[in-house]
Amino acid sequence: MAEEKQAKQEKSIDQATLEMLAKAAEEGISTVFDRAEHMKPCPIGADGSCCKNCAMGPCRIPLGKGKDETPEEHARRVGVCGATAETIAARNFVRMIAAGSASHGDHGRRVVEAFKLMAEGKTKDFEIKDEQKLLKLALDLGVDIGDRSNNEIALDIAKICEREFGKQEGELIFIKNAPLKRQEIWRELGVVPRGIDREIVELMHRTHMGVDQDYKNLMLQGTRAALADGWGGSMISTEIQDCMFGTPTPTFSEINLGVLKEENVNIVVHGHEPALAEMLAVESKDPELIEYAKSKGAKGIGLVGMCCTANEVMMRHGIPIGGNYLQQELAIVTGALEAMVVDVQCIMQGLMEVARCFHTRLINTDNRSRISGADYMPFDELHPRESAKAIIKAAIDNYPNRQADKVRIPQVKTPLIAGFSHETINYLLGGLFRASYRPLNDNIINGRIRGLAGVVGCNNARTPHDSAHILMIKELLKNDVLVLSTGCAAMAAAKQGLMVPEAAKEFCGPGLAEVCETVGIPPVLHMGACIDNSRILIAATAVVKDGGLGDDISDLPAAGAAPEWMSEKAIAIGQYFVASGVYTVFGTTWPTTGSKEFTKYLFEGMEEMYGGKWAFEPDPVKAAHLMIAHIDKKRKALGIDKARERILYDMAMRRELEG
Amino acid sequence: MEKKATSKTAATGSADPAEKFVKKQAPGRGTVEILAESYEPGEPEGEEAGRWRQKLGDRNEKIKYLKSGERYWYSDDWFGSEKRKNPA
Ligand code: SF4
Ligand code: SF4
C-alpha cells in the first residue's frame, strides 16, 4: 500500500492531479500516466537513431550503450542508403523544428485571417481592443496612420502580415525587431528567413531521402525555419492577437481543478488558438444563456481554460485555469464537465475514451483537427458569436445528464497574477511617463538581480508532473534569478503559488526579493501561451537596447530552459532561442544522442556561431546550476561580477558599516 | 498593479516601515537579515485593477507614449547600447 502511494506520488507533485489519478484508478479509467507506465519509450527512436524517410527502411542504427565505438563501428552504423548517424539524427531533429514552426505558423495564419475579416467588416463580432498595439504595428510596418480609421490601418497590417507567410525572397519584417548585432550575425550565416512557409517547405524537402546529407547544412536551414517561427509566425500571432483581443495587463485569477464548481454548467476550453475561446469568454456571461443554464437546474456557467488557450483567456479575461497539459483527461475525470471544447495542438486522443466514461461531450471545433467519436461543431469565423452560443447551449443541454454520484472535484486551487506582456513590464518598471526597462537593467548591473531565465514548455508523462519545473524555478529564485515563464511551465509555477507578489519573500534571494517587493511583481512573470515566447524575445531585446548589458542578446546574463518538454514546438522554440543567442537547457530526454558528433555540434558548436547553445540535463537543480553558471559567465564578461558582491549588503553588514 | 489603500505602517504596527526585517538563507552566506516585504498585503481588487493601457486617451497621446516609451529604441535618435551603430 505504502509503495503504491509512493508510486502515485512520483507521478505528480500536484495534489489535485494525485486525487484525480486515484479516482481514475478506482473507476478503472486509463490515463496518460498509466499508458506511459505500460509503454516504455523506444530507446532507438529516443536517441534519434531511427529513420523511416523512405520505404527501404525503417533503418535502425542504435549506438551501443556504455561503450565508445571505434571509427570502423561508427562507419558501419548507416542506413540502407548509407545515411550516417549524424545525418539521421540531424534530419529527425530538424523535422521536429519543421513541425513546430508549422504549428505556430499555421496558428499565426489563422489569426491574420480572422483579423482581416474583422478589418474588412465581414465579421462584426471582433474589434480592435488595443488601438495602442495597432498603432505600434503600423509604425513597425510602415503603415500610414494619419486620420485613417482603425479598420483601414488594420487591413493594411493584415495584408502585410499575410504576405509574410508566402514571401519568396527578402527578409521577414519582424527580424528588424532584433538587436542590430543579432541581425548581422544571421545575415552573415545566411539564416534570415525569407518567408515563413518557404523555410518549412525547404526544410521538409532537404530531409527527404537523398537530399541534404551534411548535418551542419541541415541545421542552417533548421535555424532558418526556427527563426521563421520565433521572429515570424509566433510573433505575428502574438502581435495581432494583442490588437484584436487586448495586450495582456496584470490580471488576477485562479488555477487548478478546484476552479470547477459543482453547481455550474462547466465548460473547459482546451487547445491553442484564442479566437473561439475569446468568444466563449464573452458569451459565457450572456444573461440569456445564464438564464438558460438556470432553467436546467444549474446556478450558472463556468468557463475554465486548459493548456495554452487557458493562458490566452486567463491573461485577457481572468478566466480561471483548470490545469496544464497532463491534467486534460483529469478534468473530465472530475465528472463535472458538461463539455470540453478543443481546437488544435496538445489535445490527447485519449480524451475521447475518458469522455466516454462520463456524460462529458468532447466538442471538436476545427476542421484541421478532427477527432473520431467527438462532436464536431465547426467554428465559423464569419459568425464567431453564433458558434460560441451554440457550443455553450450544447453544454447546458448536457447538464441534466450529469451523474451526481460520479462527481468529485478536488478542492485545490491557487491564486495567481498573470499578464506580464513586454508592454506591461515596461510600464510597471517606469510608469506611464518614464516607461522603460532601465530599472531592470540597473538592478541586473548592481547585482540585486543576478540574471534572467525563461522557463517554458510542456509537461511530459516521462517525468513527474510539474516537479522539474518547480525544482528548477525555486533554485533560480533562491539565487536571485528573475524567471519569465509561458505555457504549461507557467501553470506549474502558478499552481505552486509562485505567481503572486508574496512569493518573492518566501522563495527569492534577498536581492530579487527586494526588487519584486519594490515593483510589486511576482518573482515568476507569466508572459503567456507558448506562442508568446516571442514576448520573451522582445523583452530580451528591450533589455539589450536599453543599454549597459552589451549589445546583443548573447551578451545578457540570461538563460532559457524547458525542463519537461514533449512537443515538437518546444524544439522549434529552443532552436530559435539558441539562434537568438540564448543558452538553452532541456530536461527529461534528448533526441539526438544517437550521434555524438551532431549532439556535440548542438551543445558546443552552436555557441561559436550564435553565442547561444543547447544543453541537456535531466536533473532540474543541476540544470538550474548550469544556467546560473552561464549567467555568471556573462556577468563576468560584462564586468559586473564585482558589483554583485559589493551590493548585496544584508542588515547586519549595513549596521556594521554605520557603526 | 494597484494596491489596497491600507497604510503599511498601520498594517505592520511599526512607526518606520524600514524597520521590518526577516531572516533568510543567502546562497553561500548562511542566514542573513534583510528588509522584509514593503508591499501592501492583499490582492488587487476588481477586473479593472491592472488595466493600465486604458489610461491613455486619444490617438495622439498613444503615439506619443509609443515614441517615448514602447518604441523609443527604434527611433532615429535612439540611445542605449546601440547608439553608435548605423540604423538596421
Ligand atoms: S532514407 Fe536511408 S536511412 Fe532513411 S529509411 Fe531510407 S534507406 Fe533508411
Ligand atoms: S507548453 Fe507544451 S504541452 Fe503546454 S500547451 Fe504548449 S506545447 Fe502544449
Side-chain angles (χ1 to χ4, degrees), chain A residues 291-325:
Chain A
E291 268 318 302
Y292 187 56
K294 286 183 180 162
S295 76
K296 300 281 177 182
K299 275 211 176 135
I301 301 167
L303 183 69
V304 168
M306 178 76 46
C307 271
C308 277
T309 291
N311 288 326
E312 302 273 8
V313 282
M314 183 267 295
M315 289 195 302
R316 298 195 176 98
H317 297 276
I319 298 288
I321 301 183
N324 50 5
Y325 174 70

Side-chain angles (χ1 to χ4, degrees), chain A residues 166-384:
Chain A
K167 229 161 65 176
Q168 300 302 321
E169 53 192 28
E171 295 184 351
L172 287 186
I173 297 175
F174 285 149
I175 292 294
K176 290 210 166 54
N177 285 346
L180 301 173
K181 190 168 164 193
R182 188 56 22 195
Q183 296 177 39
E184 283 161 26
I185 292 171
W186 290 335
R187 285 190 192 108
E188 262 167 42
L189 290 167
V191 295
V192 178
R194 295 156 288 188
I196 297 164
D197 294 349
R198 175 164 191 176
E199 305 314 345
I200 297 162
V201 169
E202 184 170 322
L203 191 52
M204 290 308 286
H205 172 204
R206 280 161 69 162
T207 53
H208 182 276
M209 187 271 146
V211 188
D212 203 346
Q213 299 164 20
D214 176 88
Y215 67 85
K216 290 185 182 167
N217 205 42
L218 275 165
M219 270 315 294
L220 284 175
Q221 184 58 23
T223 301
R224 221 175 190 186
L227 291 174
D229 174 352
W231 298 86
S234 283
M235 203 168 276
I236 289 176
S237 305
T238 298
E239 296 291 80
I240 302 288
Q241 284 170 189
D242 282 356
C243 274
M244 252 197 310
F245 309 133
T247 299
T249 50
T251 309
F252 178 76
S253 190
E254 290 180 318
I255 182 165
N256 220 336
L257 293 169
V259 302
L260 294 167
K261 293 201 181 89
E262 199 164 340
E263 63 275 16
N264 278 346
V265 169
N266 287 310
I267 304 170
V268 163
V269 55
H270 168 28
H272 280 77
E273 296 182 4
L276 170 64
E278 275 288 319
M279 262 307 136
L280 287 173
V282 173
E283 288 304 303
S284 64
K285 293 186 183 133
D286 177 43
E288 259 178 49
L289 284 170
I290 294 172
E291 268 318 302
Y292 187 56
K294 286 183 180 162
S295 76
K296 300 281 177 182
K299 275 211 176 135
I301 301 167
L303 183 69
V304 168
M306 178 76 46
C307 271
C308 277
T309 291
N311 288 326
E312 302 273 8
V313 282
M314 183 267 295
M315 289 195 302
R316 298 195 176 98
H317 297 276
I319 298 288
I321 301 183
N324 50 5
Y325 174 70
L326 283 180
Q327 290 178 287
Q328 53 186 284
E329 292 166 315
L330 304 178
I332 302 180
V333 171
T334 61
L337 276 202
E338 275 52 62
M340 181 175 269
V341 185
V342 301
D343 60 1
V344 292
Q345 299 168 24
C346 303
I347 293 141
M348 288 189 207
Q349 194 156 358
L351 280 179
M352 194 56 231
E353 277 317 301
V354 182
R356 278 189 229 278
C357 305
F358 298 90
H359 73 300
T360 309
R361 285 182 71 177
L362 185 61
I363 300 177
N364 182 200
T365 60
D366 194 304
N367 196 27
R368 292 166 298 174
S369 154
R370 296 290 285 269
I371 300 171
S372 318
D375 298 313
Y376 181 51
M377 297 180 75
F379 173 57
D380 179 353
E381 276 141 0
L382 292 173
H383 306 100

Side-chain angles (χ1 to χ4, degrees), chain A residues 110 138 373 410 440 604:
Chain A
R110 280 291 169 107
L440 176 65
E604 293 170 24

Side-chain angles (χ1 to χ4, degrees), chain A residues 512-530:
Chain A
L512 179 60
E514 206 177 324
V515 175
C516 291
E517 285 165 6
T518 309
V519 187
I521 52 171
V524 183
L525 299 181
H526 194 317
M527 292 191 81
C530 28

